[in-house]
Amino acid sequence: MANHLSERFETSAMTNEEKRSHKAEIRKQIVAFALMIALTFMAFAAVATDFVPRTLAIPFILILAIVQLALQLLFFMHMKDKDHAWANVFMITGIFITLPTIVALMLLIGVTKY
């Protein structure tokens, strides 16, 4: 009975529709990966060259990082899938708790610094 385990399957257990959706998902992940690499190069170029003024470099890099984070969460952490509702709820709750905390700490540091 265990001799059959080393043999290769003749056909896949996936249907043609599942194979097509799997290939489409892989294509999307490759495009997202290429886009994230491009965003990383844009961030490095913004620092290394002067195509972004120095006053706008940090906000520009932060915007690129936010876009890159969104791509990472959607395509590689699969947050766009329907069965990740609880993970999305926890993440949104964390954002709503973290942002006011950071703003409050920045105000406290600003108040005590000056």
Side-chain angles (χ1 to χ4, degrees):
M1 181 168 189
N3 294 336
H4 296 294
L5 295 177
S6 62
E7 295 176 7
R8 193 169 178 194
F9 291 108
E10 293 296 324
T11 59
S12 173
M14 294 173 62
T15 63
N16 287 337
E17 180 66 30
E18 289 173 335
K19 288 179 185 176
R20 269 194 299 264
S21 68
H22 186 69
K23 286 182 182 178
E25 183 66 27
I26 289 174
R27 236 179 277 125
K28 287 178 187 175
Q29 287 183 348
I30 290 172
V31 169
F33 179 72
L35 190 57
M36 287 192 298
I37 294 293
L39 291 173
T40 302
F41 280 122
M42 287 174 62
F44 278 118
V47 173
T49 64
D50 289 333
F51 83 88
V52 176
R54 288 187 181 267
T55 57
L56 296 177
I58 290 177
F60 179 72
I61 291 172
L62 285 175
I63 290 170
L64 291 179
I66 290 170
V67 171
Q68 202 167 7
L69 175 68
L71 288 173
Q72 181 81 22
L73 289 174
L74 289 176
F75 290 102
F76 294 103
M77 302 299 286
H78 302 283
M79 291 298 175
K80 62 180 174 35
D81 296 340
K82 290 180 182 175
D83 56 344
H84 288 81
W86 280 110
N88 287 334
V89 167
F90 286 128
M91 193 172 306
I92 291 170
T93 304
I95 289 170
F96 277 116
I97 292 172
T98 304
L99 285 179
T101 303
I102 290 173
V103 169
L105 289 174
M106 288 174 67
L107 288 174
L108 283 174
I109 291 171
V111 168
T112 58
K113 187 176 179 182
Y114 297 108

